[in-house]
Amino acid sequence: MKDKRAEQFARCAVVLAAALDGAGDGGSVDPGDPFAVPASTGADLFAPSLAGREGIFDQALSNGLAAIVAFEWPGEEAKRNGRVLPASELLKVIAGHVPATDGIVLIPDKHPLPEAPQADEGSLFQPSRLSPHTRIDVATLQSGIDASQKARHGRGAGTLQRRHIEALLDLDGHESLGVMGEEQQDRIQQAAQREDAASQRRAFEYLERIGEDEAARRADQVVNPNTYHPKHNPDGQDLDTCPVCGHEALCVEGLDPVFGRIGYGQCLVCTYTRTPDAAEAEGFAEHLAWIMNR
């Protein structure tokens, strides 16, 4: 079981990872940010529009480092009174045990994973650790701590940069962590569930407006635009039963990409839309049920 601190690290790190895609644009900043550092500084600023970015960074770093130190050198992550050391002190503990080279510490895995073939692209089962050691850029992480302090304590602008976030995300390669992939998958599934629930609510409301007779009339007149054609549409799908209105009117555009069990598309009667992510979540549930019943 992972340390609870690993869970806190993951929750914050995935937020920073998502924002990383839009960061590092040559120092441009959000003009609405009163603490923004002028682009003339040349800093490769990290997601200046992400509110609370410094606090998120600090929480992720503190929990990640504490999990690593507790795993490698149990007890050294806290003071005698039980209070966990701050991130800067945890970095000193790590560097004290594993000397840094050019500011970089390489912590070897205690339980190296055997080499495994690369998972297929799009697979849910990607390996969480691809290296026999964890790279900890002590110098860059300390710089990130220093960069976040002003904003966190109301003394001006934070100056977090891409390199600080990238160094933070490298920590996930440690045996005590390796939690970001699972957290990201959970968030994708939760977002898909929320989107599907909203689509179903809209469809139910639409059905109430048109009434059952009109829905039945439309169902009788449905024509499948995805019917099979040997040349123009060799992968044509049959209409599926809509989970909202119950009519065989769900126009299937394709099957969930992982399990190939559930169709996604839009109902031609009530307008309910099932997305590929929602179809994948249902496909996964059906796959688990099939395994349990074997």
Side-chain angles (χ1 to χ4, degrees):
M1 181 179 295
K2 295 291 185 182
D3 191 307
K4 283 291 185 181
R5 286 169 286 212
E7 180 181 338
Q8 291 297 319
F9 167 83
R11 292 178 62 188
C12 296
V14 295
V15 173
L16 299 174
L20 190 63
D21 290 338
D25 52 4
S28 62
V29 298
D30 180 358
D33 185 348
F35 287 131
V37 177
S40 59
T41 62
D44 187 13
L45 295 181
F46 165 71
S49 61
L50 177 63
R53 54 195 176 274
E54 292 82 10
I56 298 172
F57 173 83
D58 184 73
Q59 184 173 341
L61 181 60
S62 296
N63 281 279
L65 292 177
I68 290 172
V69 172
F71 181 88
E72 297 287 344
W73 308 284
E76 295 191 35
E77 76 280 6
K79 300 177 182 178
R80 291 184 178 180
N81 60 9
R83 297 188 63 179
V84 176
L85 297 172
S88 57
E89 294 298 319
L90 291 168
L91 286 174
K92 291 179 181 178
V93 172
I94 292 171
H97 282 280
V98 184
T101 301
D102 296 328
I104 307 294
V105 165
L106 298 179
I107 299 181
D109 283 356
K110 290 184 176 180
H111 309 98
L113 293 176
E115 288 192 17
Q118 179 110 15
D120 293 336
E121 186 175 353
S123 170
L124 287 177
F125 307 104
Q126 297 288 347
S128 58
R129 291 186 286 122
L130 301 177
S131 173
H133 60 260
T134 302
R135 181 180 186 274
I136 301 181
D137 190 336
V138 175
T140 297
L141 290 174
Q142 183 58 56
S143 172
I145 294 171
D146 297 339
S148 68
Q149 294 305 301
K150 287 185 179 180
R152 289 188 59 246
H153 298 290
R155 297 197 300 268
T159 53
L160 280 175
Q161 300 175 23
R162 269 188 89 91
R163 62 192 182 94
H164 299 138
I165 308 306
E166 290 169 347
L168 170 72
L169 301 183
D170 282 345
L171 300 182
D172 195 53
H174 191 265
E175 294 178 81
S176 65
L177 298 175
V179 286
M180 286 185 61
E182 182 177 347
E183 178 70 16
Q184 288 171 327
Q185 186 62 32
D186 286 346
R187 289 186 176 227
I188 290 171
Q189 291 179 350
Q190 291 166 7
Q193 291 170 355
R194 289 193 298 269
E195 184 177 359
D196 192 64
S199 182
Q200 291 197 35
R201 284 196 300 272
R202 288 192 295 269
F204 276 120
E205 292 171 357
Y206 184 69
L207 279 175
E208 289 181 352
R209 291 191 181 95
I210 66 175
E212 292 184 5
D213 292 342
E214 175 61 16
R217 185 191 69 80
R218 294 185 183 189
D220 289 338
Q221 296 181 356
V222 163
V223 176
N224 184 6
N226 289 332
T227 52
Y228 170 81
H229 188 284
K231 179 179 179 181
H232 301 295
N233 193 17
D235 297 323
Q237 300 285 346
D238 293 333
L239 291 173
D240 202 351
T241 301
C242 174
V244 176
C245 67
H247 293 291
E248 193 173 310
L250 186 70
C251 180
V252 178
E253 299 175 16
L255 299 177
D256 70 272
V258 176
F259 303 100
R261 292 174 174 270
I262 304 296
Y264 59 85
Q266 186 172 35
C267 178
L268 301 177
V269 172
C270 70
T271 74
Y272 162 69
T273 300
R274 180 190 285 144
T275 65
D277 284 339
E280 182 177 318
E282 289 193 35
F284 181 59
E286 282 201 6
H287 182 67
L288 286 180
W290 174 76
I291 292 175
M292 296 295 292
N293 292 326
R294 289 182 64 181

